[in-house]
Amino acid sequence: QVQMKVLFVTAWYPNEENQISGIFVREFAKAVSLLNEVVVMHIKPYKDFKGRLYEVRDYKERNLRVIQVYHKKLILHFFDRLLGIYLYWKVFRSLLKEKFIPDIINVHVHYAALPVILVNYFYRIPVAITSHSTVFIDYPRMNWKNILKARWIMKRADAIMPVSENLKKAIE
């Protein structure tokens, strides 16, 4: 039995602020962890974050290793995104140093994939995006910049896995 190393990167995961956020992502990761080694990475900005610029929490949840990174939400969205990319890079590098080299990276929701796609230029690890987001069904909620960004990200993923036929049609 060959065990894969799977890195889940998600924008949604149960956290201090919202205990039910991304429960379906956690359950999916638990199922995958029955036969594989799984690490979940969740990077979360908080408007009212106290303390330093960011805090890393690394803990076990049954077979899962969960790394949650909380950081201050910066005033300018651009700098907030840069901080998220930096924190992903930092945690990813620490996983590599620990010899956790993923066979695949499963990203939940397209906008969480930006740091993965950028960092992956160096590592060439297959990236699969699990799309839960209904923004593709309701295009008026997306401005043209977000549509272009979503297309750019999705073109660079190795696989797109929508959670429904309706969402699949909307993404196509």
Side-chain angles (χ1 to χ4, degrees), residues 10-27 30 40 42 44 46 57 59 61 64 66-68 70:
T10 180
W12 303 330
Y13 203 79
N15 59 77
E16 286 181 356
E17 195 175 65
N18 186 343
Q19 293 292 317
I20 60 170
S21 174
I23 283 179
F24 45 88
V25 176
R26 180 172 61 193
E27 294 306 312
K30 281 184 191 175
V40 176
H42 174 235
K44 174 88 173 119
Y46 278 107
R57 297 185 186 166
Y59 59 93
E61 219 175 58
L64 299 176
V66 179
I67 302 171
Q68 288 188 304
Y70 300 104

Side-chain angles (χ1 to χ4, degrees), residues 35-88:
L35 299 174
N36 302 284
E37 184 179 353
V38 175
V39 174
V40 176
M41 186 189 313
H42 174 235
I43 299 174
K44 174 88 173 119
Y46 278 107
K47 190 168 61 175
D48 299 323
F49 184 77
K50 306 290 184 226
R52 301 184 342 214
L53 185 59
Y54 66 91
E55 178 183 329
V56 178
R57 297 185 186 166
D58 191 338
Y59 59 93
K60 291 290 275 184
E61 219 175 58
R62 295 191 189 173
N63 310 13
L64 299 176
R65 177 178 178 193
V66 179
I67 302 171
Q68 288 188 304
V69 183
Y70 300 104
H71 68 84
K72 287 185 180 180
K73 188 170 180 72
L74 303 177
I75 295 169
L76 294 175
H77 181 70
F78 174 77
F79 292 114
D80 204 49
R81 294 297 288 175
L82 282 180
L83 179 59
I85 292 166
Y86 166 75
L87 292 171
Y88 171 79

Side-chain angles (χ1 to χ4, degrees), residues 5 9 24 26 32 46 56 72 76 78 95 100-101 104 111 126 134 137 142-144 153 159-160:
K5 292 183 177 183
V9 177
F24 45 88
R26 180 172 61 193
V32 172
Y46 278 107
V56 178
K72 287 185 180 180
L76 294 175
F78 174 77
L95 290 171
F100 182 86
I101 301 165
I104 189 165
Y111 56 84
T134 58
I137 295 169
M142 289 182 80
N143 64 35
W144 65 271
I153 288 168
I160 307 297

Side-chain angles (χ1 to χ4, degrees), residues 27 51 65 74 84 122 124 139 155 164 168:
E27 294 306 312
R65 177 178 178 193
L74 303 177
F122 301 103
R124 305 282 188 240
Y139 267 113
K155 280 183 185 176
S164 71
K168 179 183 177 186

Side-chain angles (χ1 to χ4, degrees), residues 110-161:
H110 72 280
Y111 56 84
L114 181 62
V116 175
I117 298 296
L118 294 175
V119 169
N120 213 26
Y121 276 119
F122 301 103
Y123 296 101
R124 305 282 188 240
I125 298 167
V127 174
I129 298 174
T130 302
S131 183
H132 306 267
S133 183
T134 58
V135 296
F136 297 105
I137 295 169
D138 187 15
Y139 267 113
R141 289 180 22 205
M142 289 182 80
N143 64 35
W144 65 271
K145 286 191 304 186
N146 288 338
I147 292 169
L148 289 176
K149 194 180 340 176
R151 285 186 182 153
W152 185 87
I153 288 168
M154 290 189 162
K155 280 183 185 176
R156 282 149 184 82
D158 295 285
I160 307 297
M161 303 180 302

